[in-house]
Structures are given as structure tokens and as C-alpha cells.
Amino acid sequence: MCKRLIQVVFVLALVVLGLSACSSIPTGSRNGVVVLDIGHFIGGEGASTPGAINGKIIRECAFWYEYAYYVKREIERSGYKCVVCNRGNAPTTEPLRSFARRAGVVQLRRPDRNAARYPSHYHPDRVASGMVSADYAIYRRASAVVFLHHNSSGAWTNSPMPSIILSNRYNGRPLASSIAQTLNREVLNHGMDNGGRECKVQVRYVDADRAAGWLNACDDSGIPAAVIEAAFLNNRNHAAYLADPAKARYYAESIGRGVVAYLRSGQAVNHVRADENKADEGSFGYAAESRRLKVPGAKLLVR
């Protein structure tokens, strides 16, 4: 009897070791952390208002250093774990340094030099600028990752803008839809005038499209991902709303409430890429870049 018990324990140990060996690529977990990524980095701030609005010039990265805290707070108040990251170096001047400390920003310290693109550590045929943030979400086995951005398209305008939440193809639509619905109900055309136009969800999966590389890397690990592009900084109505600190906080909190609504909904899809050695449809965008970087499996991308 004792010998049989030892044999059973030995077999179980082998099974556990086998499962561990198969899990080198982290996958999403409903019990994991929500990762919020501050878009762009200090010195490469992204979108900005064409000029001052209500005495302020709003810059995408600096805005989210100040207000990511309120997204995080809304998520944590509802009992979920949340961490804020940024792919650049820590701010060295005030008030951004204090904002970063308040939000507990994890500095990934890899600013994108001249829009350089990098392969994902976990899915090396995914190549994009800003990939380090997606890899961090994968490393943390995130329940969801939200990339905090704004949009802009040139000179000042008062016209309605195409407010969108980008999502990954397999896992992200429920998350993106929840955030969009919350913004439609609480912010867009409820203080932030957009001429009656609502925020929509747009799926991105061809790696050559902006942000699709990060979204696909998260998708491959079964992590719901969404990119916030709901507010346009060259739209006077949007910019005036965000220039008001109380309204900017409410906007950030609304995004947080959208994330919480998703987490409570139980809509996780958890699709994971089945064969890492098989080129995915979205991988073809940067085939030449992948070959130049000697990315493993890049030869698969040119079929």
C-alpha cells in the first residue's frame, strides 16, 4: 500500500513538472492584476492640443501621468488589483514626479527611440514600438490591460470626432465595449460635447496598423486589451473638458468604472494562440522588420 502511494505521488509530481514546462508563456487570469499603461513617454509625449485651451496645453503622456491614478483608484475601490506602468524613464521634474509617485508607476525604462520597433519577448513574431508595455502585461498575467491614450489630427476643430476604443481580436471586445458604453453614458455628449456621436469599438489585428502589435501580443497570451482613443486633443470641446481638473478626473474615473463593469460581467473569452510556430494572420505587417531583427520564426511571415 505504501509503495503504491509513493508511485502515485511520483506520477503526480511528474505531471506538475510537465505543466510547469508548458507554461513558459504567461497567460491571462481572471484573478490577476489590471495593468494600466500610460501612453508614450516623457520626451515623446504623443498627441497634444494645437495651442492653449483655457490657459492650458494638454499633452497626452503628461495628462495620463496626472490622471491614471483616478482610473486605478476606481478599480481598486471595487476590490481589484491594479498597477500603472509607463515604457519610459521616470519624470524628474514636478509635478509629474509627484504624480508618478502617487500612482505608483512602474517605469519600464525603454523609451522608443525614433519610433524603433521591438519584438515581443513572449511572441517574437509580434513587432511594434511600445511592445515592452504589452510584455509587462503578459509578465503580470493581467486580467486586462488598458493603454491610456488620446488622439489628435491637426488643427483645432469643433466637429464631432471618431471616438474609438481599440481592442484585440479575440479577447478584447467585451472589455472595450464596456469602457465605450460607460463613456457614452457618462461623458461623451454628457459634458464632453461630441455632436451626438458616440464612442465605438474598433478591432485591430494586422500588425502594421497602429497599436495592433501590442494588442496581438496580448491576444496571443489570452489577455483582453483595449486602447483608449476616445478624446481628441485638437477638438476644442474635448480639450476644454479635459482642461477642467474636476472633469478630467471624472473622465478617468469613468474609464475605471468601465473596466470594473467588464470584470464583474464574467465575459472573459481567454482565447490563447494555439501554435506559436504558425504565422498568425496579423503577423504579416512587419515581416521585413522581423527578418532584419533576426526574430525567430520570421521566415514564416513571408509565405
Side-chain angles (χ1 to χ4, degrees):
M1 181 68 179
C2 183
K3 183 178 179 180
R4 183 178 178 83
L5 180 60
I6 292 172
Q7 289 174 334
V8 170
V9 171
F10 180 72
V11 170
L12 287 174
L14 288 176
V15 170
V16 170
L17 287 172
L19 290 174
S20 299
C22 292
S23 59
S24 58
I25 297 176
T27 56
S29 167
R30 292 293 289 175
N31 297 317
V33 66
V34 175
V35 171
L36 304 175
D37 177 65
I38 294 174
H40 302 278
F41 53 91
I42 303 302
E45 283 82 359
S48 66
T49 54
I53 186 83
N54 295 347
K56 294 183 178 180
I57 292 178
I58 303 173
R59 294 182 173 85
E60 185 173 3
C61 183
F63 177 93
W64 283 117
Y65 261 97
E66 182 171 0
Y67 291 102
Y69 165 78
Y70 297 101
V71 186
K72 177 182 179 179
R73 186 178 68 174
E74 198 68 25
I75 294 168
E76 291 186 332
R77 279 176 170 175
S78 298
Y80 299 97
K81 299 176 184 177
C82 185
V83 64
V84 181
C85 70
N86 179 251
R87 65 184 188 250
N89 296 312
T92 57
T93 59
E94 296 294 351
L96 293 184
R97 182 163 55 185
S98 293
F99 294 151
R101 190 179 304 117
R102 179 180 64 178
V105 178
V106 176
Q107 306 291 163
L108 304 179
R109 297 184 175 86
R110 190 174 184 178
D112 302 332
R113 301 300 182 190
N114 299 317
R117 295 189 287 270
Y118 308 96
S120 166
H121 174 76
Y122 299 100
H123 308 285
D125 63 334
R126 303 300 190 187
V127 180
S129 60
M131 185 61 80
V132 66
S133 298
D135 275 355
Y136 178 71
I138 296 169
Y139 163 73
R140 292 300 303 262
R141 300 176 185 266
S143 293
V145 55
V146 179
F147 300 92
L148 299 170
H149 283 258
H150 294 311
N151 217 331
S152 66
S153 57
W156 286 115
T157 180
N158 295 325
S159 301
M161 305 302 289
S163 299
I164 56 173
I165 309 293
L166 305 177
S167 79
N168 48 12
R169 176 168 45 168
Y170 296 114
N171 294 288
R173 188 184 289 274
L175 169 65
S177 295
S178 180
I179 298 171
Q181 290 166 10
T182 305
L183 289 174
N184 288 335
R185 185 172 60 250
E186 298 183 359
V187 176
L188 280 173
N189 303 304
H190 296 277
M192 183 187 283
D193 180 43
N194 200 38
R197 190 167 184 167
E198 293 187 333
C199 185
K200 303 294 184 182
V201 172
Q202 185 177 111
V203 174
R204 289 273 174 89
Y205 66 90
V206 177
D207 280 352
D209 291 343
R210 184 176 58 180
W214 332 321
L215 292 169
N216 283 334
C218 292
D219 232 355
D220 291 344
S221 284
I223 296 175
V227 183
I228 310 298
E229 299 280 13
F232 271 69
L233 295 185
N234 63 299
N235 181 291
R236 288 184 186 274
N237 300 320
H238 292 193
Y241 185 97
L242 296 176
D244 182 320
K247 292 177 180 177
R249 286 196 299 271
Y250 186 76
Y251 175 75
E253 289 166 351
S254 183
I255 293 171
R257 284 190 286 274
V259 175
V260 170
Y262 162 73
L263 294 171
R264 288 176 172 170
S265 71
Q267 295 185 73
V269 179
N270 201 30
H271 168 96
V272 178
R273 188 171 176 181
D275 185 353
E276 197 68 22
N277 294 313
K278 182 180 179 181
D280 179 83
E281 180 183 355
S283 301
F284 287 80
Y286 290 140
E289 184 94 9
S290 298
R291 292 196 305 275
R292 184 183 67 78
L293 293 170
K294 296 182 172 59
V295 171
K299 61 182 180 295
L300 298 174
L301 309 183
V302 295
R303 290 178 179 173

